[in-house]
Amino acid sequence: MNVTTRSEGLTGFVTLDNPPVNAIGKEMRQGLLDAVAWAERENFDRVIVTGAGRAFAAGADAKEFDGAALEPYLPDVLDAIEKSFVPWIAAINGVALGGGAEIALACRMRIAAPQAQIGLPEVTLGVIPGAGGTQRAMRLTGLETALDMIAFGRPLRAGAALKAGLIHAVEDDPMDAADMVNTEELQCIVPTWELPAPDHDAAAFDAIRARLAQRSPGQIAPLRAVDVVEQGLSLPFDQAMKLERATFLDLKGGDQSRALRHIFFAERAAKPPKDLPPASELTEIAVVGGGTMGAGIAYACLSIGLPVTLLESDAEGVERAQANIGQLVQTGLDRGRLSDDGARALRDRLTVTTDYAKAANAPLAIEAAFEDMEVKKAIFAQLDAALSLDAVLATNTSYLDVDEIAASTNEPSRVLGLHFFAPAHIMRLLEIVRGARTSPRALATGYALGKLLKKVPVLAGVCDGFIGNRIYSRYREAADTVFMDGSTPWEVDEAMVNFGYAMGPYEVADLSGLDIGYAARRRQDATRDPNRRYIPIADRMVELGKLGKKVGAGWYRYPGGGGKVEDPIVADLALEEAHFAGIERTDYTEDQIVERLVLAMINEAADVLAEGIAQSAADIDLVTVFGYGFPRWRGGLMHYADTLGVPHIVERITALQAEDPVAWKLSPVLEECEKRGLSLAEWSTE
């Protein structure tokens, strides 16, 4: 049973019990409806509802979203709770999200434990609250708080919820506190649906829509939620509820909601292979290299309580590493993420040294040095000598051959890739790179660290760039081709931002530094296909000293006052190179720019699948969303490809082959999917 009931005297107790998070499905809804009838038959003076385990209820069962709504519907269940002559009290023991929050809001009274959270995050799944959340929340908190909660999906911790008026009390034992509430006091609380709606505030609605335009561009559900709140202000409660429900059902069947549900389930499925042995116990971590990436990895490990030995090559490196970690600690303090005591404890867990012997007991070492094979081999030789033979050795390389690095050690089986993304303490993606000789135990240890750090782990094979950077390199190649043949960096960037990226490829390059890409291209010179077209504009940028934002000039200029401005010199470089190459430039529309860049990525991703570098289309979706900014609301690169349809993709890539048969060589996976009538999600090496 998803709902259990018991009684003590005149009090009925209802427990939501659907592990692990008490998701609300058909059985739970029916159980709640039955509990209303039971309480009224027993003539209780109150019902106390809580959740089993650590959650109150973490929303609706998303598996039901793909089909037609099933009776009993949650709005009807909550209407019965709210209008029952037996008042209900929500004892919120943990997270109460989505439908869980709506259950609590329909109760006469809400008492939360200090660690509890309450929120309406439905927009993160492309829908809006569908069981009264938009209407009840604003009656309790007022417009500004309710709009912020609903439009951005942000939960409130218990203290903030109390201050906002969403709950009545915060108690260490909410069940006991609910049982002690005076009956007359409880009966005097006005049911939420009877409270008046707030007055219309045009400024509040203008402000929330402006914030959404800036922070959630392209997303439909947040704006629809704001519309429903605004229209509900002037409607009777029951009519506002019907509007909310109709909007929820409309969005539930839309492309964005399907895409967001796909990513939600793909993220939940991102787990280690079932046949892995136990991982090494991670009692401490060694990190080699205290630059931006190494410091971020070290800080992430320190933040979860792991002691870290940060290894550098000389005294200057030690000083730089200490400064980089110190800056991250200070940022944590400034933003309220760290207390003074927490910062002190974090620093106490850190050792920065040139002495590899001080990391001798670390069960895992992560190398995060400069992208140079000889440098990495030298580091692994030192780790090989200093650490126990049981220790796992990982490289954070973005492109280099993990197998070649492993071959330089005495025991290649203990080597794997752990490719973090900058900033490593914030970005959630972790590519776990399995080399040809990587042992199952080493792989399990990588997954164990990812779990501790709450990363999204994706298994990758060995190739230049693994999954993400390989696809991103093709994206950049396509962008540079479009730029040279008929566009500008700012037109390309604008097109991709309008598609849903936070930044276009050229602004991203300016942030990371054009010298990074230059070094990667020089490394590839010896193996580059001589038949493949090469775009030299980025090389000329480096020769001109235009290395990006760090020097004030890259694809854009960055004047002292801040912001970025277009640079006509950059546009002229494309004209020059097109002239030298005998190319007649054309004007690309925004749609053409987007199509070329996205098709280039899809085709490369299909090759990544064909070669077994990625295990599934869903893994590629996770990499592109969590590592490279592909719009989440489009579901990731391969999910979006399936919305376009394989036949359409094949047709368009075949047409593009006429201008460049090398760059636009059709992936065999796309050919096979078209022949067999498969989607990319359905394709498998098996």
Side-chain angles (χ1 to χ4, degrees):
M1 288 292 291
N2 284 176
V3 175
T4 60
T5 59
R6 65 181 178 86
S7 62
E8 290 182 14
L10 293 176
T11 300
F13 293 89
V14 173
T15 302
L16 311 176
D17 190 2
N18 184 22
V21 295
N22 301 326
I24 305 163
K26 173 181 172 63
E27 187 177 337
M28 184 177 287
R29 295 193 299 273
Q30 186 61 58
L32 283 169
L33 202 57
D34 292 344
V36 173
W38 164 72
E40 291 181 345
R41 285 196 308 271
E42 297 295 325
N43 203 27
F44 293 133
D45 69 8
R46 74 192 63 195
V47 169
I48 300 172
V49 59
T50 193
R54 300 175 61 183
F56 179 78
D61 186 346
K63 294 175 184 175
E64 288 189 2
F65 276 34
D66 289 330
L70 301 174
E71 293 187 277
Y73 308 127
L74 190 57
D76 297 335
V77 174
L78 301 190
D79 185 64
I81 288 174
E82 196 165 42
K83 294 179 179 176
S84 172
F85 65 79
V86 178
W88 284 49
I89 304 175
I92 306 170
N93 54 306
V95 291
L97 301 176
E102 289 176 309
I103 291 172
L105 297 184
C107 292
R108 191 75 60 89
M109 189 176 192
R110 291 160 292 284
I111 302 174
Q115 77 278 8
Q117 295 183 52
I118 184 167
L120 297 164
E122 283 87 349
V123 293
T124 64
L125 289 179
V127 293
I128 71 168
T134 63
Q135 302 308 307
R136 292 188 177 98
M138 69 177 178
R139 283 167 166 77
L140 292 167
T141 69
L143 272 180
E144 289 191 17
T145 300
L147 284 170
D148 192 72
M149 283 181 64
I150 295 165
F152 292 104
R154 290 200 192 101
L156 297 180
R157 294 192 177 276
L162 177 64
K163 186 177 180 180
L166 206 60
I167 61 177
H168 295 86
V170 177
E171 298 286 352
D172 290 334
D173 187 341
M175 287 284 287
D176 185 61
D179 204 21
M180 297 295 291
V181 172
N182 180 276
T183 303
E184 291 184 6
E185 176 189 350
L186 180 60
Q187 291 286 354
C188 288
I189 296 174
V190 178
T192 307
W193 75 276
E194 292 185 5
L195 295 173
D199 292 333
H200 187 275
D201 184 342
F205 285 103
D206 289 344
I208 197 73
R209 289 186 173 109
R211 289 170 62 201
L212 287 172
Q214 183 179 23
R215 300 180 61 176
S216 305
Q219 295 187 52
I220 298 170
L223 287 171
R224 294 285 297 275
V226 171
D227 291 344
V228 167
V229 171
E230 185 170 31
Q231 293 173 51
L233 295 174
S234 58
L235 293 174
F237 184 82
D238 60 338
Q239 290 184 31
M241 287 283 287
K242 289 178 181 177
L243 171 66
E244 179 196 75
R245 185 67 176 177
T247 304
F248 165 81
L249 293 173
D250 178 51
L251 291 169
K252 182 171 77 82
D255 288 344
Q256 287 196 8
S257 184
R258 280 193 290 268
L260 287 164
R261 293 199 301 274
H262 165 71
I263 283 292
F264 172 78
F265 285 116
E267 183 181 351
R268 288 179 63 180
K271 296 176 181 177
K274 292 180 180 179
D275 57 351
L276 290 185
S280 301
E281 184 181 359
L282 296 175
T283 52
E284 60 179 289
I285 303 290
V287 177
V288 185
T292 301
M293 182 60 76
I297 294 170
Y299 182 79
C301 293
L302 291 165
S303 297
I304 60 170
L306 287 172
V308 173
T309 301
L310 184 53
L311 299 165
E312 264 293 353
S313 57
D314 52 30
E316 184 180 340
V318 167
E319 186 176 343
R320 182 178 62 249
Q322 288 173 329
N324 287 338
I325 293 284
Q327 185 175 5
L328 292 173
V329 171
Q330 188 58 52
T331 299
L333 287 166
D334 293 344
R335 295 183 178 177
R337 294 173 181 166
L338 273 178
S339 65
D340 289 338
D341 288 344
R344 193 176 304 111
L346 189 148
R347 293 189 188 100
D348 289 344
R349 291 192 291 273
L350 174 67
T351 301
V352 186
T353 180
T354 59
D355 185 1
Y356 277 62
K358 291 189 176 179
N361 295 323
L364 172 65
I366 305 169
E367 167 274 315
F370 183 68
E371 286 286 274
D372 180 278
M373 181 60 78
E374 296 311 311
V375 169
K376 292 183 185 294
K377 285 182 178 179
I379 289 170
F380 271 78
Q382 290 179 277
L383 291 172
D384 216 15
L387 272 64
S388 160
L389 284 175
D390 291 333
V392 174
L393 309 182
T395 173
N396 178 60
T397 181
S398 301
Y399 291 95
L400 299 182
D401 188 335
V402 172
D403 289 332
E404 186 177 345
I405 294 170
S408 70
T409 68
N410 291 323
E411 186 45 72
S413 67
R414 63 171 171 161
V415 177
L416 79 159
L418 290 179
H419 182 208
F420 290 79
F421 289 73
H425 60 294
I426 294 174
M427 295 289 283
R428 294 190 59 211
L429 179 65
L430 178 64
E431 280 185 319
I432 298 179
V433 185
R434 176 168 54 192
R437 296 180 63 182
T438 300
S439 71
R441 187 180 67 85
L443 206 60
T445 301
Y447 273 101
L449 179 66
K451 184 176 181 180
L452 287 173
L453 295 175
K454 297 182 179 178
K455 300 292 186 183
V456 177
V458 175
L459 185 63
V462 175
C463 70
D464 196 290
F466 315 125
I467 299 172
N469 276 337
R470 177 168 163 180
I471 295 169
Y472 190 77
S473 293
R474 179 67 183 106
Y475 172 62
R476 280 304 317 268
E477 180 186 43
D480 286 347
T481 305
V482 165
F483 169 29
M484 182 162 165
D485 291 356
S487 189
T488 64
W490 29 97
E491 288 171 345
V492 173
D493 280 357
E494 183 180 11
M496 299 316 293
V497 167
N498 289 341
F499 178 75
Y501 279 88
M503 286 185 286
Y506 292 100
E507 188 175 2
V508 169
D510 274 357
L511 285 176
S512 61
L514 273 67
D515 48 334
I516 303 297
Y518 182 84
R521 290 191 298 278
R522 298 293 73 80
R523 179 176 51 77
Q524 296 166 340
D525 283 343
T527 57
R528 183 175 292 110
D529 181 353
N531 295 314
R532 195 175 189 102
R533 185 180 176 192
Y534 184 77
I535 308 296
I537 302 175
D539 294 346
R540 291 194 59 188
M541 294 282 288
V542 174
E543 291 164 5
L544 291 170
K546 290 177 169 291
L547 303 183
K549 194 170 184 180
K550 60 188 173 186
V551 299
W555 297 108
Y556 297 87
R557 286 190 294 110
Y558 298 89
K564 66 181 190 295
V565 295
E566 299 170 4
D567 188 345
I569 295 175
V570 172
D572 288 344
L573 284 177
L575 296 175
E576 288 180 15
E577 291 298 332
H579 173 73
F580 295 149
I583 292 169
E584 185 176 343
R585 299 185 90 226
T586 185
D587 288 328
Y588 290 114
T589 66
E590 182 173 297
D591 287 345
Q592 288 174 321
I593 292 170
V594 169
E595 180 185 56
R596 285 168 176 260
L597 270 61
V598 171
L599 287 179
M601 287 192 288
I602 291 169
N603 198 47
E604 190 69 28
D607 279 345
V608 166
L609 273 181
E611 296 166 25
I613 303 302
Q615 304 299 300
S616 68
D619 280 355
I620 293 172
D621 289 334
L622 291 174
V623 169
T624 53
V625 167
F626 287 101
Y628 294 87
F630 194 91
R632 185 184 179 106
W633 49 271
R634 292 191 187 275
L637 177 65
M638 302 305 257
H639 179 87
Y640 178 68
D642 279 336
T643 67
L644 295 176
V646 170
H648 171 77
I649 292 168
V650 170
E651 178 189 349
R652 294 303 304 137
I653 291 177
T654 302
L656 291 167
Q657 286 177 347
E659 64 183 56
D660 189 338
V662 176
W664 290 107
K665 182 180 179 182
L666 185 65
S667 169
V669 166
L670 289 169
E671 287 185 297
E672 183 181 348
C673 285
E674 184 188 34
K675 281 181 184 177
R676 296 174 57 193
L678 298 175
S679 68
L680 287 163
E682 292 169 330
W683 187 87
S684 170
T685 54
E686 299 173 0

